[in-house]
Amino acid sequence: MFAALNALGTTFIKAKKSRNHSELLFKHLKIPIKVKKTKKFDFIDIKKPKKINAFNYQIPGDISSGAFFMVLTTLAKDSRLLIKNVNINPSRIGVVTILKKMGAKIIFKNQRNYRGEKISDILIKSSKKLKAINCPTYLNSSAIDEFLVIFLIAAKAKGVSYFRNLSELNQKESPRLIWGSKILNMMGIKTDLTKDSIKIYGQPNLEITKPIIVNNYLKDHRVFMMSAIAALTCGGHWTIFDKDSINTSFPSFLKIVKDISHSST
């Protein structure tokens, strides 16, 4: 799409369904673009613009980063958290849909439109009753980066949760589906794992008392953050190596964890 901005004439793109941040930005900048959506594909036509004017843009908060704090608050006792200015593009909020189906208390507040994107503050409150889910596969693509922390909710939910068609997780920075199962097993949670699915046998009263060591996970930032949230909410004495892995996506993660843990709200 960006190459088309400097190509002569009109560029025609047939694309699999995906996130549409670029399309929204192009429309906001009045770049000549047409998008026709079908069930499986988006057909995108882009004409070379005569010029693109300079603009200011304040990047909204990332829901993938916010998801770790949604789960932290959901599993913590007597807690509430407000995360401000988060991008809630429909292609990105699968994690919220899944968590709410499992009993999490999450509310969008002060919704508005910013440069074509949907933005909202997100209020999360602790939840004492979490339930298992047979996760609809149509939600996979919009929550693919958040499944590790979703697994933590399943670990504390009543019943057996089932997640399918997740082979893509093993194509990330580490084989995340395998690592998610490993960490749950370390915590004492039973799982049934295949190459593309996982069943998680929840324990609502889970309290870990043993030491847990998380190492050799290929420095995958999301494995580190999943482990940290588990340590904060499920008990036990955790040793998590390679904390510099969070620099990939969220270098201030540990500072924010520390800050909100001292907050009265």
Side-chain angles (χ1 to χ4, degrees), residues 76-194:
K77 295 179 181 179
D78 302 321
S79 297
R80 66 192 298 274
L81 182 70
L82 182 67
I83 308 175
K84 293 185 176 181
N85 302 319
V86 180
N87 188 318
I88 58 166
N89 183 297
S91 68
R92 302 296 301 275
I93 59 172
V95 60
V96 174
T97 303
I98 293 169
L99 294 182
K100 289 179 73 172
K101 285 179 179 290
M102 299 181 77
K105 298 177 180 178
I106 302 174
I107 301 172
F108 291 150
K109 299 174 69 75
N110 188 25
Q111 294 186 50
R112 63 265 190 205
N113 187 288
Y114 177 77
R115 306 292 196 263
E117 292 279 7
K118 291 184 178 181
I119 308 296
S120 179
D121 301 337
I122 303 178
L123 177 65
I124 311 100
K125 297 181 181 180
S126 303
S127 181
K128 295 180 180 179
K129 293 183 179 180
L130 296 169
K131 56 186 179 181
I133 187 173
N134 185 349
C135 188
T137 56
Y138 73 85
L139 291 171
N140 286 0
S141 62
S142 60
I144 196 65
D145 290 327
E146 293 80 55
F147 272 106
L148 287 182
V149 281
I150 292 171
F151 293 168
L152 289 181
I153 295 291
K156 295 278 283 185
K158 183 178 181 180
V160 181
S161 294
Y162 187 28
F163 303 91
R164 296 164 291 145
N165 295 356
L166 288 178
S167 59
E168 183 181 343
L169 279 183
N170 285 332
Q171 310 303 318
K172 297 289 185 176
E173 287 89 332
S174 73
R176 286 183 184 164
L177 185 58
I178 294 172
W179 264 105
S181 180
K182 279 185 181 181
I183 292 171
L184 294 180
N185 294 160
M186 292 179 195
M187 294 166 56
I189 298 294
K190 178 185 175 183
T191 61
D192 292 336
L193 181 68
T194 73

Side-chain angles (χ1 to χ4, degrees), residues 8-77:
L8 295 176
T10 302
T11 300
F12 302 95
I13 302 171
K14 178 183 177 182
K16 289 185 178 180
K17 307 294 285 187
S18 64
R19 297 169 180 173
N20 67 340
H21 300 299
S22 299
E23 291 92 321
L24 293 175
L25 179 63
F26 281 24
K27 289 178 180 178
H28 169 70
L29 296 176
K30 302 189 185 312
I31 291 169
I33 179 174
K34 293 181 180 179
V35 181
K36 179 181 178 182
K37 295 181 177 293
T38 64
K39 189 173 182 179
K40 292 185 177 181
F41 296 99
D42 290 341
F43 294 88
I44 304 169
D45 300 349
I46 302 171
K47 291 183 180 179
K48 180 180 179 179
K50 293 180 180 179
K51 67 175 182 176
I52 301 175
N53 294 320
F55 61 98
N56 295 325
Y57 198 99
Q58 184 174 348
I59 306 298
D62 175 34
I63 202 164
S64 293
S65 298
F68 292 92
F69 295 99
M70 294 180 205
V71 170
L72 174 62
T73 307
T74 297
L75 295 179
K77 295 179 181 179

Side-chain angles (χ1 to χ4, degrees), residues 200-243:
I200 299 172
Y201 295 76
Q203 295 185 35
N205 298 318
L206 175 69
E207 288 290 342
I208 303 169
T209 57
K210 63 182 181 179
I212 295 177
I213 299 174
V214 182
N215 197 5
N216 300 321
Y217 56 90
L218 303 179
K219 294 189 176 184
D220 185 339
H221 53 128
R222 297 198 186 278
V223 172
F224 179 93
M225 291 188 283
M226 172 200 185
S227 303
I229 299 301
L232 289 166
T233 56
C234 298
H237 180 79
W238 292 65
T239 303
I240 310 169
F241 285 81
D242 296 319
K243 69 177 182 180

